[in-house]
Amino acid sequence: LATGPRQNNGIFYEIRTYDIKPAKMKEFLEMVSKYFHFRTAHSELVGFWYSELGAMNKVFHIWKYDNFAHRTAVRQALANDKDWQGKFISAALPLMEKQHNEVAYLVPWCQLRKPPKEGGVYEWVTFEMKPGGPALWGEAFRAAIHAHINTGYTTLIGVFHTEYGLLNRVHVLWWNESADHRAAGRHSAHEDARVVAAVRSSVRFLESQQNVLLIPLPCSPLK
């Protein structure tokens, strides 16, 4: 099924999610802080977070690629990087329970943004949509997203829809000053007729939704 319009270049984002063994999360995060510069030497990291609420013992990271040839070249370089393989990968793999990746594009009406300041929290919201892509649900979904933005209850970072992985999935990344600031914004949104009306128009395309509160790591460009 057609996905509808998207950005007019080959740029895409690889979203990687790792489940870490519960007793090994602290060790894994320490290794990331110590050795991840070997990985970021090869391609652009958008953000790296660990889950705080909504999912346990998970890390999320997003990578930007110019096209698929660029990703292939990066993966080959990583396989030949002795520091990356020897100091991080060989030690990190035993700490993981599973890995998952998706390739996603920004929706055509969204540019990737940065938060107004460092030190907040991020919310990763995953929507399972009805088949058809942005050509089907795009306008209604856009109206619901912008209703939240225009009322000032939260800050949008990016909206992605999947190309590889589980299809008909949309990820929305939000930023808030704190978890309490996010909670207050949600309460206000639930009582705002503008937001309620926009959400009601979009939910007819929705199958399910999951929210995860994320904390950025020191190595994350999005902090």
Side-chain angles (χ1 to χ4, degrees):
L1 297 175
T3 59
R6 63 182 183 221
Q7 75 269 11
N8 57 6
N9 54 47
I11 292 173
F12 66 85
Y13 299 83
E14 183 176 6
I15 301 164
R16 300 181 72 91
T17 307
Y18 298 166
D19 285 32
I20 309 302
K21 294 178 180 178
K24 299 296 184 180
M25 177 61 87
K26 183 174 183 293
E27 182 180 350
F28 181 85
L29 296 181
E30 289 174 348
M31 288 186 58
V32 170
S33 296
K34 186 174 182 180
Y35 295 120
F36 219 63
H37 62 282
F38 294 125
R39 175 62 185 85
T40 54
H42 291 278
S43 66
E44 182 179 346
L45 175 67
V46 174
F48 199 127
W49 305 265
Y50 66 87
S51 60
E52 179 70 13
L53 296 171
M56 298 296 291
N57 304 305
K58 286 182 179 290
V59 296
F60 295 73
H61 39 126
I62 303 175
W63 300 89
K64 181 180 178 180
Y65 293 102
D66 296 333
N67 49 48
F68 288 97
H70 178 209
R71 181 185 184 276
T72 297
V74 169
R75 301 302 297 177
Q76 290 175 345
L78 288 169
N80 294 321
D81 186 324
K82 294 181 179 179
D83 284 328
W84 174 243
Q85 295 295 329
K87 294 180 180 179
F88 184 82
I89 292 296
S90 60
L93 285 178
L95 310 182
M96 302 180 193
E97 291 189 328
K98 62 181 179 179
Q99 298 171 287
H100 177 74
N101 77 329
E102 295 175 322
V103 166
Y105 293 94
L106 286 171
V107 295
W109 42 267
C110 174
Q111 298 294 320
L112 193 63
R113 300 176 176 89
K114 292 185 177 181
K117 62 181 180 180
E118 295 184 358
V121 297
Y122 291 78
E123 184 178 9
W124 183 254
V125 188
T126 299
F127 298 91
E128 305 290 348
M129 310 299 291
K130 294 184 184 298
L136 174 68
W137 47 258
E139 288 306 313
F141 193 85
R142 177 182 184 179
I145 294 297
H146 279 273
H148 287 82
I149 299 171
N150 295 338
T151 51
Y153 297 135
T154 186
T155 300
L156 179 68
I157 302 300
V159 182
F160 309 85
H161 67 99
T162 54
E163 183 77 4
Y164 286 96
L166 184 61
L167 298 183
N168 307 306
R169 174 179 279 189
V170 186
H171 300 291
V172 183
L173 183 62
W174 300 97
W175 178 88
N176 287 283
E177 292 183 11
S178 67
D180 285 321
H181 182 267
R182 184 264 183 193
R186 291 287 289 176
H187 285 300
S188 297
H190 289 162
E191 298 174 356
D192 191 314
R194 297 166 295 177
V195 177
V196 172
V199 170
R200 282 177 177 170
S201 295
S202 67
V203 293
R204 67 184 186 274
F205 302 112
L206 180 64
E207 298 285 0
S208 67
Q209 176 181 340
Q210 182 180 11
N211 296 30
V212 182
L213 189 73
L214 301 176
I215 307 298
L217 271 67
C219 68
S220 178
L222 290 174
K223 291 186 174 63

